[in-house]
Amino acid sequence: EEFVKASSTKANAALKFLVTGDATADDQNGDDEKGQPREETPEQRAQREKAERKARKKKRKEKTKQLATLSFAGGDDDDNDDDHDEEETTSTQTPSRKKKKSKKDPTVDTSFLPDAQRDEQRQEQRRKLEQEWLEQQLLIKKQTLEITYSYWDGSGHRRVLQCSKGDSIGTFLASVINQLS
């Protein structure tokens, strides 16, 4: 008779734990009514471990959410209150997403952080400056120089030759040979 009573209370406690996730003080320490450790079936152990993993995951998620909240945002934005207000509005109106309040301080200098728009502007400015520099180099290369050279064949012969700045030494020497012949 006691065995039947003990097994039915164990079954009820296990069922209660599986359905609600709550356990009484006796069930939490793993003892039955007589104070003896109870036996766990593999299914019960798997269910218990799954519930523990869920609880740890939920706790970790709450912790990261709490860490992500900025300290200067103020305590007036309580998540539970927002959810409650949203439920009231959605029951009377069509379902719509509630705008989240930004918890960022707009006065903080963020110029050191990576920004796609700023990077794009810098790349565009770099392209413009590069193009401008190339155009200046082409203009410089097109300018003409007047080079005075001396040819020595026992007596000095000073001659003047005009060539552009972009010409090579080979081009200069070829034009000198043409001028002397």
Side-chain angles (χ1 to χ4, degrees), residues 94-155:
T94 60
S96 63
R97 289 191 167 189
K98 187 176 181 181
K99 290 185 180 180
K100 293 184 178 179
K101 292 184 180 179
S102 176
K103 294 183 180 181
K104 297 178 183 177
D105 187 3
T107 61
V108 174
D109 179 31
T110 59
S111 61
F112 61 91
L113 295 173
D115 184 15
Q117 185 180 11
R118 195 174 334 129
D119 289 343
E120 187 177 313
Q121 289 174 349
R122 285 181 184 163
Q123 287 294 336
E124 184 64 31
Q125 184 180 14
R126 184 175 289 145
R127 279 188 227 112
K128 285 180 183 177
L129 290 174
E130 183 180 357
Q131 185 66 31
E132 186 178 316
W133 182 81
L134 288 172
E135 289 172 2
Q136 287 176 353
Q137 292 301 313
L138 287 175
L139 288 175
I140 289 171
K141 285 182 180 181
K142 288 181 181 179
Q143 291 177 350
T144 58
L145 288 174
E146 192 172 286
I147 300 173
T148 305
Y149 66 94
S150 179
Y151 173 68
W152 181 262
D153 62 351
S155 66

Side-chain angles (χ1 to χ4, degrees), residues 11-40:
N12 287 339
L15 184 61
K16 180 179 177 186
F17 176 75
L18 291 176
V19 171
T20 63
D22 286 341
T24 61
D26 292 338
D27 292 338
Q28 287 178 353
N29 64 13
D31 296 343
D32 62 3
E33 292 176 354
K34 296 179 183 179
Q36 296 175 351
R38 63 179 170 165
E39 298 273 334
E40 232 180 3

Side-chain angles (χ1 to χ4, degrees), residues 32-134:
D32 62 3
E33 292 176 354
K34 296 179 183 179
Q36 296 175 351
R38 63 179 170 165
E39 298 273 334
E40 232 180 3
T41 64
E43 295 98 22
Q44 289 173 340
R45 188 178 325 124
Q47 289 290 335
R48 181 179 47 82
E49 289 172 355
K50 186 176 180 182
E52 288 173 357
R53 279 194 302 267
K54 274 188 175 182
R56 279 194 304 263
K57 188 174 181 181
K58 187 175 181 180
K59 190 175 184 180
R60 201 176 315 129
K61 192 173 185 181
E62 288 294 324
K63 188 175 183 181
T64 56
K65 187 176 180 181
Q66 183 181 15
L67 288 175
T69 303
L70 300 175
S71 61
F72 57 82
D76 56 337
D77 295 338
D78 207 14
D79 291 337
N80 295 337
D81 293 339
D82 292 342
D83 294 341
H84 183 64
D85 294 340
E86 188 176 325
E87 290 173 6
E88 291 176 0
T89 57
T90 56
S91 64
T92 58
Q93 301 172 352
T94 60
S96 63
R97 289 191 167 189
K98 187 176 181 181
K99 290 185 180 180
K100 293 184 178 179
K101 292 184 180 179
S102 176
K103 294 183 180 181
K104 297 178 183 177
D105 187 3
T107 61
V108 174
D109 179 31
T110 59
S111 61
F112 61 91
L113 295 173
D115 184 15
Q117 185 180 11
R118 195 174 334 129
D119 289 343
E120 187 177 313
Q121 289 174 349
R122 285 181 184 163
Q123 287 294 336
E124 184 64 31
Q125 184 180 14
R126 184 175 289 145
R127 279 188 227 112
K128 285 180 183 177
L129 290 174
E130 183 180 357
Q131 185 66 31
E132 186 178 316
W133 182 81
L134 288 172

